[in-house]
Amino acid sequence: MKEIKITDIEGIRVGNAQDTEAGTGCTVIICEKGGCAGVDVRGGGPASHETELLNPINTVDRVHGIVLSGGSAFGLEATSGVMQYLEERGIGFDVGIGVVPIVCGASLFDLTVGSSKVRPDKAMGIEKTGYVEYVGKLAEVSGIAINSFKTFVEALKERVKFFVERGCLVTDLSLEEPFFKIVNEEEIERIFQKALTGAELTAEEREAYKTMLFVELGREYKKYDLGMQIHMGALRNNNSRMFDKLGADIGMDSIADNNYAKSLSSLLNELEKTGELPKTILYCLNPKDNEVLGTMIGNFQCGEMPGKMQFGSGWWFLDQKDGMIKQMIALANLGLLRRFVGMLTDSRSFISYTRHEYFRRIMCNLIGTWVEEGEVPFDEEILKAMVQEICYLNAKNYFKLKI
């Protein structure tokens, strides 16, 4: 009889999270298309979740996930995280108004081992399952077996190439917290392997991981002459009750007050050292950072192209009249407004296009005010060219648009 791994079965994925110091953890088996399952419950004190659904006389004939955890009855909470993960992806039993993921779970009694206060909870279940899915999906679409940080980066590079071949001109990175920590190959490999096991990374390990990945991606963006957008300053998912109920990105985000100057400078400089810093647009969500970014771009301008480093327009909460004006004033005071690439937007809806017109009106009014107050010469030819460049030509040339 040939022995096979459970993950060799098509449609089956497995993830694991553990806390070695506390002596507990959980394993999750995902079957998105659903699969038949059975159970034999024994003992006088079972800690189980939805196992009665496996009775063949019941309506549900398949499960979408199985959670095996420690933590006794407390550990059953990990199944909630897996259910949320599946629901967000539309996976589950169709009940007409939505889907209900069928996730069965069983927990063993390990409270006398390690720490009885540490149990596999919802956060552990959803975070680690999602990470395993991401790495697995990346390996699948890239065609590269990911078993090291090097192959992980190779897979990401393959995806960058894929999008470039289909016309991609710009990338977008989120920098929610400051980070910068360079480590050697052995250390980043150790961190990556630890992450693959589902173990929680320390703050320093996460910082090193983000830094090394940022540098690798930045080099690739430079190779293909892609614009690198960096959005910073978001404080996300603040309302834990609503997050548990509705998930991420449902409006419970706000402005953070982190200090980015030193770490951002170090990240950009790490790429500039070898001449591999791509053309970059920096966006801040907190107006206190306007002058930080307005001066930061001056550190890394070069003779490669006009305005290689850009201070991006007001973003998200600053994507309004006051936010746009403050950004342009800071840029005009500290840099060269005429090289500004202007309003950029994700254009996910028709209303995004009207925001460009909104921006143009605000910009023209601001410049007109400067003219009336004698701060800018009243030269129609120069002013007309400046407005055309900011609203269209600068972006066209910056991204090398063929229009």
Side-chain angles (χ1 to χ4, degrees):
M1 179 180 295
K2 180 182 178 181
E3 180 178 324
I4 65 171
K5 299 179 181 178
I6 188 172
T7 50
D8 290 338
I9 302 174
E10 185 178 355
I12 298 292
R13 295 200 303 278
V14 179
N16 172 260
Q18 60 189 9
D19 187 323
T20 54
E21 293 185 5
T24 192
C26 67
T27 297
V28 179
I29 302 171
I30 295 292
C31 182
E32 293 186 0
K33 294 182 179 180
C36 295
V39 65
D40 181 13
V41 180
R42 301 184 183 186
S48 58
H49 178 269
E50 297 282 43
T51 52
E52 186 59 27
L53 287 175
L54 302 181
N55 190 319
I57 68 172
N58 289 327
T59 302
V60 177
D61 61 355
R62 61 190 59 211
V63 300
H64 304 98
I66 295 176
V67 180
L68 306 174
S69 77
S72 189
F74 298 108
L76 295 177
E77 188 180 359
T79 60
S80 298
V82 177
M83 289 184 68
Q84 179 182 325
Y85 165 84
L86 292 171
E87 181 191 19
E88 289 173 353
R89 289 154 180 79
I91 300 168
F93 184 73
D94 191 350
V95 294
I97 60 172
V99 296
V100 178
I102 306 302
V103 178
C104 297
S107 301
L108 57 80
F109 183 86
D110 63 355
L111 301 182
T112 58
V113 179
S115 172
S116 64
K117 298 301 182 182
V118 178
R119 305 138 183 171
D121 58 11
K122 188 173 184 178
M124 182 181 283
I126 189 170
E127 181 183 352
K128 304 311 175 184
T129 302
Y131 183 79
V132 171
E133 185 221 26
Y134 172 74
V135 174
K137 187 66 175 178
L138 177 61
E140 177 185 340
V141 298
S142 67
I144 295 175
I146 299 175
N147 51 27
S148 64
F149 182 73
K150 182 179 180 180
T151 53
F152 177 65
V153 171
E154 288 176 358
L156 288 172
K157 289 181 178 180
E158 187 64 29
R159 296 307 291 163
V160 172
K161 179 182 177 183
F162 173 88
F163 286 106
V164 168
E165 290 174 345
R166 284 153 181 79
C168 179
L169 299 173
V170 63
T171 68
D172 196 359
L173 302 173
S174 175
L175 201 163
E176 294 176 10
E177 293 184 352
F179 62 82
F180 181 76
K181 183 176 178 61
I182 296 293
V183 296
N184 58 33
E185 292 183 9
E186 292 76 16
E187 178 63 7
I188 190 58
E189 182 61 31
R190 182 194 68 78
I191 293 171
F192 182 72
Q193 293 299 331
K194 180 180 177 181
L196 286 183
T197 68
E200 183 177 358
L201 301 182
T202 66
E204 286 194 351
E205 288 171 334
R206 292 194 299 271
E207 187 172 5
Y209 176 84
K210 292 178 181 179
T211 300
M212 300 309 290
L213 191 56
F214 176 92
V215 172
E216 292 287 352
L217 290 173
R219 289 170 177 163
E220 201 68 6
Y221 301 155
K222 174 66 173 180
K223 173 182 173 182
Y224 289 108
D225 194 29
L226 295 173
M228 179 171 70
Q229 295 183 112
I230 303 177
H231 288 81
M232 60 199 79
L235 188 62
R236 301 180 186 274
N237 304 316
N238 297 282
N239 189 322
S240 58
R241 184 176 68 86
M242 295 306 294
F243 179 85
D244 291 342
K245 184 177 181 180
L246 300 174
D249 304 321
I250 45 84
M252 305 301 174
D253 305 323
S254 57
I255 297 174
D257 59 355
N258 296 314
N259 295 319
Y260 295 96
K262 186 175 182 179
S263 61
L264 178 62
S265 175
S266 298
L267 286 171
L268 299 176
N269 188 57
E270 190 64 26
L271 291 168
E272 179 64 16
K273 285 179 183 178
T274 54
E276 295 176 288
L277 177 63
K279 54 190 178 187
T280 303
I281 307 176
L282 305 175
Y283 301 87
C284 62
L285 195 53
N286 193 323
K288 78 174 181 62
D289 295 318
N290 282 341
E291 282 70 26
V292 172
L293 299 193
T295 54
M296 184 67 68
I297 60 174
N299 296 329
F300 301 99
Q301 300 287 14
C302 64
E304 291 179 29
M305 61 179 293
K308 172 183 174 178
M309 304 298 293
Q310 291 278 332
F311 175 19
S313 183
W315 165 56
W316 200 348
F317 296 113
L318 302 184
D319 185 11
Q320 31 79 6
K321 182 178 179 181
D322 184 64
M324 292 180 187
I325 290 175
K326 286 181 178 177
Q327 182 271 339
M328 284 186 278
I329 289 176
L331 179 56
N333 286 340
L334 303 168
L336 187 57
L337 183 63
R338 188 165 178 174
R339 290 295 187 189
F340 182 30
V341 293
M343 176 67 174
L344 298 180
T345 180
D346 47 34
S347 296
R348 287 179 292 182
S349 63
F350 284 113
I351 197 169
S352 293
Y353 297 101
T354 63
R355 286 158 60 194
H356 284 270
E357 177 62 21
Y358 183 52
F359 167 83
R360 284 191 288 267
R361 289 175 179 271
I362 292 171
M363 181 196 66
C364 289
N365 186 68
L366 178 62
I367 295 173
T369 300
W370 289 338
V371 172
E372 289 180 343
E373 294 176 354
E375 298 181 42
V376 173
F378 180 44
D379 186 317
E380 287 194 47
E381 185 176 343
I382 292 177
L383 295 174
K384 178 181 177 181
M386 180 178 180
V387 170
Q388 288 177 331
E389 288 165 358
I390 295 174
C391 292
Y392 174 66
L393 293 174
N394 288 346
K396 178 178 180 292
N397 296 329
Y398 192 82
F399 298 111
K400 297 182 180 178
L401 298 173
K402 298 178 181 180
I403 51 178

